[in-house]
Amino acid sequence: MPNTLIIEIGIAVLLVALVGLLANRLRFSVIPFFIIIGMVLGHESYPNFIKDMLASVGNEGFTHAVESVWKFLTFRESKPFIDFMGRLGVLFLLFYLGLEFSVGRLIKSGKSIVAGGSFYVALNFVSGLLVGWMMDLPFKEVMVLCGIMTSSSTAIVAKVLTDLKRTANPETEVIMGMIMFDDLFIAMHISFLSGLILTGSSSFWAVAGTSLLALGFILTFLILGRKLIPFIDKLLQEKSSELFILIIFSLLFTIAGFSETIHVAEAIGALMAGLVFADSKYLKKIEGMVLPFKDFFGAMFFFSFGLSIDMYSLGGAVGWAAFAAVITIIGNVASGYFATRFSDLKPKNSVDIGFTLSARGEFSIIMANIGKAGKLLPVIQSFVVVYVLILSIVSPLLTKESRNIWNRLSGQKEAPKKVKKKLSDLEASGQE
């Protein structure tokens, strides 16, 4: 059998690039496109529409040619390597988040963000408890579900705000502050899930001990890391680009790998590494070097997640995921209204905040992967696929139309659009 590893990886990257171009052309988030292309491919059996097409043609030669091409699209030889690239994607996503995160900024943002963020986290967490109870899931699955429904997608939110040119709007500071607060909670929740799921222990004291170990690891690492950053800066001083990035990556992978050995999710180790390097005087250079890796391996992370999903097994989770998505949107608008009360914003900004924060993506999938690593019920994987697909598509659309939706709900008329005058009109009015 010929070695097809390189050609399969080349095809995978090409397909990811093509669907990314399609997403940009349609002005959608790329995340659902990456997941869908992975779900459609990677399986031995054809999708039903290909079966129907081959049956209608009835040509053996054509069928054989399609089967030969399809063998490449199942990624049988390269799938383990693609999965590994997906794991790297998680590390780079969390590391980059750590570089962007600042506890000092969160404290400086004031009570409006802390109060709004607390209400946001509490409301979404309770929604997860409600859905988990209605689905009659065991405790571990419910805790993962709570994390899935609480974690907003920083990547989608940032892209939507940029595309809609709302980065300078007054509510954007509140949105980003609430996301920072949410990310802080997610970091703590991942450490809790590490103790609850990754150790495989059912004893309360064993789980509590591992969770405390994770918390101790985080606090110790932050304290020691901040003291070591001057030494690291000295190590990075006047180094070539090659040595610079080798030092950064070696520390990132070592820290993430060490956290995994003590049953703390490797994503937490990557996040801690990012938080430490956020205090480096070479922060901008680190961000510039890491960003391309974050984008590339992040895309492969979503693609590899899609490859791991059997799209024909999603039927049982569609109804629950759609129900959870509706609850998420309603709850986030409520938390947005609560945030506006503490930040002196207008009530109409509540829908801007709520719709924007409803996006779900990378962190929901990371939570589901923790459940998969702990061999929890497969329904969690099916649920998160449909849930993320719905909200990663619907949330940007709602955000774009948030002003019109508010006007209709409040009975207000849309503000008349300003008519741009042509140069000839201005000249005519000047002559009168």
Side-chain angles (χ1 to χ4, degrees), residues 115-379:
S118 300
F119 192 77
Y120 169 82
V121 167
L123 200 57
N124 282 280
F125 196 87
V126 170
S127 298
L129 291 175
L130 173 65
V131 174
W133 172 74
M134 294 178 68
M135 293 177 68
D136 196 25
L137 296 176
F139 178 72
K140 291 182 180 180
E141 280 80 356
V142 171
M143 288 297 99
V144 173
L145 192 68
C146 289
I148 290 171
M149 293 186 64
T150 305
S151 49
S152 185
S153 172
T154 307
I156 296 178
V157 169
K159 188 176 189 308
V160 168
L161 291 173
T162 303
D163 289 347
L164 297 180
K165 298 180 180 179
R166 295 187 182 181
T167 53
N169 288 11
E171 74 275 4
T172 298
E173 182 180 348
V174 176
I175 290 171
M176 297 312 296
M178 290 173 70
I179 282 186
M180 288 171 58
F181 192 92
D182 179 49
D183 291 340
L184 180 63
F185 167 79
I186 291 303
M188 301 303 299
H189 191 61
I190 289 176
S191 67
F192 168 71
L193 291 179
S194 300
L196 179 65
I197 296 172
L198 298 183
T199 60
S201 176
S202 57
S203 167
F204 169 79
W205 294 110
V207 172
T210 308
S211 299
L212 288 174
L213 175 64
L215 180 59
F217 167 76
I218 292 172
L219 295 177
T220 303
F221 192 84
L222 285 177
I223 294 170
L224 293 179
R226 290 175 184 274
K227 290 185 178 181
L228 288 174
I229 200 65
F231 169 76
I232 297 174
D233 280 347
K234 196 171 183 180
L235 186 65
L236 295 173
Q237 188 175 5
E238 297 179 0
K239 292 293 187 294
S240 65
S241 297
E242 181 182 35
L243 288 176
F244 191 95
I245 202 164
L246 282 172
I247 293 170
I248 297 297
F249 282 13
S250 63
L251 291 173
L252 166 61
F253 295 141
T254 302
I255 294 167
F258 174 74
S259 68
E260 188 181 27
T261 61
I262 60 173
H263 300 294
V264 178
E266 59 188 24
I268 288 294
L271 178 65
M272 292 302 103
L275 286 171
V276 170
F277 280 108
D279 288 332
S280 172
K281 64 181 180 181
Y282 297 105
L283 174 61
K284 293 299 180 184
K285 186 175 180 180
I286 295 172
E287 286 181 334
M289 286 189 165
V290 170
L291 183 60
F293 292 92
K294 188 264 291 185
D295 290 340
F296 174 75
F297 287 106
M300 298 310 294
F301 162 63
F302 295 112
F303 177 70
S304 67
F305 177 74
L307 285 178
S308 68
I309 300 299
D310 181 4
M311 63 179 178
Y312 300 110
S313 66
L314 298 179
V318 171
W320 287 115
F323 174 69
V326 172
I327 289 181
T328 298
I329 293 171
I330 295 173
N332 284 0
V333 171
S335 64
Y337 178 76
F338 190 80
T340 59
R341 297 290 298 272
F342 279 88
S343 53
D344 297 326
L345 293 174
K346 297 178 180 179
K348 68 178 182 180
N349 294 126
S350 60
V351 292
D352 297 329
I353 296 171
F355 290 156
T356 306
L357 288 174
S358 295
R360 296 293 184 266
E362 61 274 19
F363 298 117
S364 296
I365 295 174
I366 289 170
M367 292 286 179
N369 282 346
I370 292 176
K372 183 180 179 181
K375 299 180 179 179
L376 301 188
L377 294 177
V379 69

